[in-house]
Amino acid sequence: MVSALQKGKCNHQGIVLKAGEGGLTNKALAASFLRTLLYFDVFSYPLTCDEIFNYSSWQNLDKNEGIKTLENLLENQFINTHMGFYFLGEDSQKVSQRVAGNKLAVKRMKQARFFSGIIASFPFTRGVYISGSLSKGYMDNESDIDYFILTSPGRLWLCRTMLVMFKKVFLLNSHKNFCINYLVDTNNLEIKERNIYTATEVALLLPMHNYRLFSEFMNVNSWLKDYYPRLSQGEGQPVKGFPFVKKVLEIILDNRLGDFLDNYFFRVTTKFWQKKHGKNEVSKPDSELFWNKHVSQYNPGHFRMNVLKRFRKKVDDFEAQYGFVVSEY
């Protein structure tokens, strides 16, 4: 499976000319393309021509102008190209690494579909969506399959606890195919944190269960268009799970018992995380953990903040090396 942005290829193959033979005819568009390439270079991930166009923040892009701008960037030796992919620096090994990762992602989608169906079968799950590297069509041998999950209001912590127990008991606590780092209830669909990292992760989600709710979720988060104005909604492979089992369990727990259990698991998890991570190190924008009654987000190793810092450094280093400002357009 591929995202909508991975479909199709540009006819332009890339022509490398000597520095100085061509000027940047549209500096603002060139800066937009460079920011896109610099962000994905944090992950050593080269992009196709169409991906650069569609991932960029340039809303009304004429394809011919886009191709001309890529040619300008190649002429001025700001970027390189190999096998139809574009990247920063001289390391063309990024391309073969990406191609191998794309192939592995196709294989790992089988596990993702299976476990998406399992997650969708748990009571009070309302939406199951693939996030992380797999949502971008890439996996390596160290990658986990990440899930973004929407739950019923007032049942997020009950739902999360049952999922965690399933992982610990039946998957021996393995994260490989079952990484549930982000849960939100359906009364709080708007994502408050707004930056290039969060926008990328949310905009490229792949819907696996409840496409209607996914459309509502994307509409609520219309701010994503500030970062990805040309982005089309992701295409998933819908799974059904076991609706009968889910319905029976929801009947049993959709009452005061369910209220009690959700509140109980919220308190227990809060105490556990505060003891493990320290009361002053949680629920901050740059912390590993953020949670309340309506959201549970785990950011292992401060990954989000590290990505943003590395992106900022790449931008600064590029501007210092080439004397071309990409951050002000």
Side-chain angles (χ1 to χ4, degrees), residues 13-195:
Q13 296 299 313
I15 304 172
V16 181
L17 303 178
K18 294 180 180 179
E21 289 188 357
L24 292 175
T25 58
N26 189 333
K27 291 185 177 181
L29 180 57
S32 177
F33 285 178
L34 286 168
R35 283 197 303 273
T36 301
L37 286 164
L38 284 163
Y39 180 76
F40 282 90
D41 195 57
V42 172
F43 309 95
S44 298
Y45 195 73
L47 300 174
T48 66
C49 176
D50 281 334
E51 287 171 341
I52 294 171
F53 293 172
N54 288 301
Y55 285 150
S56 78
S57 58
W58 200 264
Q59 186 168 10
N60 299 313
L61 175 66
D62 177 79
K63 190 170 184 178
N64 290 329
E65 185 179 17
I67 291 174
K68 184 177 182 179
T69 299
L70 280 179
E71 289 176 342
N72 288 165
L73 291 171
L74 288 165
E75 289 165 6
N76 287 274
Q77 298 184 356
F78 287 162
I79 64 174
N80 275 301
T81 184
H82 180 62
M83 294 175 58
F85 295 93
Y86 298 83
F87 53 93
L88 281 300
E90 304 290 335
D91 186 9
S92 61
Q93 287 296 111
K94 297 175 184 178
V95 173
S96 57
Q97 177 180 306
R98 167 178 169 160
V99 171
N102 292 157
K103 292 179 179 178
L104 181 58
V106 173
K107 295 180 180 179
R108 293 291 299 279
M109 274 304 302
K110 295 179 181 179
Q111 288 92 349
R113 279 184 52 78
F114 174 77
F115 284 105
S116 291
I118 295 293
I119 295 171
S121 302
F122 274 72
F124 308 112
T125 57
R126 293 296 176 258
V128 182
Y129 314 114
I130 300 296
S131 62
S133 60
L134 184 56
S135 70
K136 301 158 191 69
Y138 179 86
M139 295 288 277
D140 59 36
N141 292 328
E142 303 301 319
S143 299
D144 297 331
I145 298 178
D146 299 303
Y147 301 89
F148 181 90
I149 301 168
L150 296 178
T151 75
S152 298
R155 292 293 182 271
L156 185 149
W157 292 95
L158 174 56
C159 179
R160 182 190 178 280
T161 301
M162 288 188 287
L163 289 167
V164 169
M165 291 175 63
F166 172 84
K167 182 188 69 173
K168 288 182 179 294
V169 173
F170 295 100
L171 303 180
L172 303 179
N173 206 30
S174 172
H175 296 267
K176 195 72 174 177
N177 297 311
F178 206 83
C179 196
I180 50 170
N181 288 340
Y182 209 147
L183 295 89
V184 177
D185 75 38
T186 55
N187 277 356
N188 294 269
L189 295 179
E190 184 179 2
I191 303 300
K192 303 298 183 182
E193 183 187 15
R194 300 180 181 182
N195 52 56

Side-chain angles (χ1 to χ4, degrees), residues 281-316:
E281 297 299 323
V282 297
S283 291
K284 294 180 180 180
D286 60 343
S287 67
E288 288 190 295
L289 291 161
F290 178 82
W291 78 94
N292 53 44
K293 278 288 288 181
H294 311 290
V295 60
S296 171
Q297 181 183 6
Y298 180 41
N299 176 42
H302 301 276
F303 185 75
R304 178 183 67 255
M305 293 304 298
N306 288 335
V307 167
L308 292 173
K309 288 178 181 178
R310 289 172 63 192
F311 173 54
R312 182 67 260 175
K313 186 176 188 307
K314 282 187 176 291
V315 170
D316 292 342

Side-chain angles (χ1 to χ4, degrees), residues 196-216:
I196 184 61
Y197 174 82
T198 302
T200 303
E201 296 306 304
V202 175
L204 294 178
L205 288 172
L206 293 178
M208 306 301 287
H209 174 67
N210 200 338
Y211 193 85
R212 180 199 59 77
L213 181 58
F214 180 70
S215 296
E216 180 183 347

